[in-house]
Amino acid sequence: MAWTRDQMAARASQELEDGFYVNLGIGIPTLVANHIPDGVSVTLQSENGMLGMGPFPLAGDEDPDLINAGKQTITTLPKSSFFDSATSFGMIRGGHIDLSILGAMEVAENGDIANWMIPGKMVKGMGGAMDLVAGVKRCIALFDHTNRAGDSKFLRACTLPLTGQNCIDMVITDLGVFTRQGLPRQFHLTELADGVSIDEVRDKTEANIVIE
């Protein structure tokens, strides 16, 4: 049995380190805010101008005036602060964000990521992902391993318009964890989700990854 979205977010939260400034993408990455480990203090940044984002709001507790860059409702903390987009992107482009956890439509074996548009479909906005993958110290892609048709989203090469090239350091999916190691920084299967076999990973992965 593969990981649920909450379990994937909980696994990603293990990559948070005390004192980190972290940007969470929309979708599954947003759930990471609900799984920050005890004893670890991180500051969550949203590129639409907020620092110090709280946990994802419970149903009925949403404030429509408080949204992240993906237009999802969010919560505040006593330390939360608000600022303009220029300041927000200055944090990202200036290298002040330690970690970004992004959703993805596709990730390639060379670390490329596509996560902002499907040609021919409406795009609400590309958000700040292109800046995040270029300006943040470490990037993790967190997504379902296959699409609705059962096709791999972890590919030899991305087919959709790229968000960034050679920028993803770790992939976490419902099947497991894949970490880039050695040269030429190839992805290695480093952890299997509960109940997932190596054969299932092989069957559902197009990318050339190292399975030891």
Side-chain angles (χ1 to χ4, degrees):
M1 184 175 65
W3 281 330
T4 65
R5 292 190 164 204
D6 256 322
Q7 289 172 318
M8 293 163 63
R11 176 58 188 85
S13 74
Q14 295 177 25
E15 302 302 317
L16 304 176
E17 296 184 23
D18 196 42
F20 264 16
Y21 288 81
V22 180
N23 186 292
L24 301 178
I26 62 174
I28 303 172
T30 307
L31 301 176
V32 174
N34 297 339
H35 297 280
I36 297 173
D38 292 339
V40 173
S41 176
V42 299
T43 302
L44 301 180
Q45 191 245 16
S46 179
E47 63 264 33
N48 62 328
M50 182 181 181
L51 198 60
M53 190 164 57
F56 200 63
L58 299 174
D61 291 337
E62 303 94 340
D63 181 343
D65 290 328
L66 290 176
I67 59 172
N68 62 16
K71 300 178 178 56
Q72 295 172 303
T73 52
I74 56 178
T75 62
T76 59
L77 298 171
K79 67 178 182 179
S80 299
S81 58
F82 301 90
F83 34 83
D84 60 20
S85 293
T87 303
S88 181
F89 279 86
M91 294 176 186
I92 296 168
R93 295 172 185 175
H96 303 291
I97 305 300
D98 298 290
L99 173 66
S100 179
I101 302 177
L102 299 161
M105 298 172 182
E106 295 176 345
V107 170
E109 64 189 35
N110 65 350
D112 291 354
I113 180 173
N115 80 341
W116 69 282
M117 75 167 298
I118 297 174
K121 293 194 174 183
M122 184 180 71
V123 179
K124 294 182 179 179
M126 65 179 69
M130 292 180 183
D131 291 85
L132 288 164
V133 297
V136 173
K137 296 171 185 172
R138 184 173 182 234
C139 294
I140 296 173
L142 179 61
F143 57 101
D144 290 321
H145 205 92
T146 59
N147 61 24
R148 292 180 181 176
D151 299 324
S152 179
K153 294 167 63 176
F154 198 1
L155 305 171
R156 290 187 180 278
C158 292
T159 63
L160 297 172
L162 291 183
T163 305
Q165 294 180 302
N166 189 24
C167 54
I168 299 302
D169 301 292
M170 173 181 279
V171 164
I172 299 174
T173 76
D174 49 330
L175 299 188
V177 180
F178 308 84
T179 307
R180 291 180 83 185
Q181 300 176 1
L183 293 174
R185 296 195 72 211
Q186 193 167 11
F187 282 102
H188 292 236
L189 172 63
T190 52
E191 186 175 335
L192 280 171
D194 298 336
V196 172
S197 69
I198 288 177
D199 286 342
E200 183 177 0
V201 172
R202 285 197 176 102
D203 290 343
K204 294 182 176 178
T205 306
E206 181 191 298
N208 180 25
I209 60 173
V210 178
I211 299 177
E212 297 171 335

